[in-house]
Structures are given as C-alpha cells and as structure tokens.
Amino acid sequence: HGHMAPPNSTTGIKLYYAGGHCHAPSCISLNLYNADTGQLLCSQTPLYGKSNRIFDEKGYVAIPPCLWSDPDQEDGLLNTMVLPLNGNLTSIKRNNNTYNHRGEMASWQMRGVFV
C-alpha cells in the first residue's frame, strides 16, 4: 500500500514479518531465501483445517507467518536481521497438482523498518 523512499542514511531493512500466500488444496510449502547468502529466511508449511472451529475450518488453510523481534525482547522469537537495500531474495513454492486449482501464486507480504 504505497511505497516510501528510504531516508538517505538507510543501509537496509530490518525484517519483522514475512508471510507467504498460497491456496488449498494444492499448497505444500513456501520458502524464502536470501539469494546472496543462501540463508533460509522463512519456511512455511500450511496447516489444513480439520474441524469447524475458528482458524481450523475444514477445507481451508492457515499459514502461520515468520516473525522476528529485536534481541532485547524476551518473546521467544528469532532475532531480526537487516537485509541490504540492494539484496536479492528467492521464493520457492511447492505445489501438488493432483487437484485442479487456477490462479496460483507465490507472493509474500513482509513488514520491516528502514535502518
């Protein structure tokens, strides 16, 4: 939703949230890599609903996001990292094509701050 130009002194983006998007019933996994270092940044495996309870609805997929926080926080999350502004990312999505589903994508939503 809109693009903000980074301040002149910005060296990178501190990543706090990454969430991939895919659809049931074909989505198997989504992995996000730092293409420059080969580091796996985020690995997501969809959870398929089994009941009629909220967030566990049969026929729907929940994809828990990857979350990071600053090292001084005691919240059990991984420490955030700084991605360089000219860094490259690679997304690998695995799909099962047993079931016909049109409109597949492997998009990511991410949140971070300029540093």
Side-chain angles (χ1 to χ4, degrees):
H1 301 290
H3 175 72
M4 288 179 45
N8 291 339
S9 62
T10 298
T11 60
I13 297 172
K14 191 184 283 191
L15 191 61
Y16 286 99
Y17 167 94
H21 180 82
C22 61
H23 296 164
S26 55
C27 187
I28 295 173
S29 66
L30 296 120
N31 288 330
L32 184 66
Y33 293 89
N34 179 330
D36 301 321
T37 66
Q39 177 188 13
L40 176 62
L41 301 176
C42 180
S43 181
Q44 294 184 292
T45 302
L47 304 174
Y48 289 87
K50 297 180 178 75
S51 72
N52 289 324
R53 290 178 310 183
I54 190 165
F55 303 122
D56 188 42
E57 294 96 340
K58 193 176 283 190
Y60 289 87
V61 171
I63 309 170
C66 293
L67 302 170
W68 298 269
S69 66
D70 292 318
D72 59 349
Q73 302 297 307
E74 295 184 10
D75 50 19
L77 299 177
L78 294 173
N79 291 342
T80 189
M81 82 251 0
V82 176
L83 300 175
L85 292 179
N86 64 348
N88 297 290
L89 302 176
T90 296
S91 173
I92 298 177
K93 178 187 163 206
R94 293 178 56 231
N95 242 32
N96 178 344
N97 67 357
T98 301
Y99 305 102
N100 185 16
H101 184 84
R102 292 177 172 80
E104 275 300 314
M105 73 286 289
S107 61
W108 288 83
Q109 291 186 10
M110 293 183 264
R111 303 291 185 270
V113 296
F114 291 121
V115 292

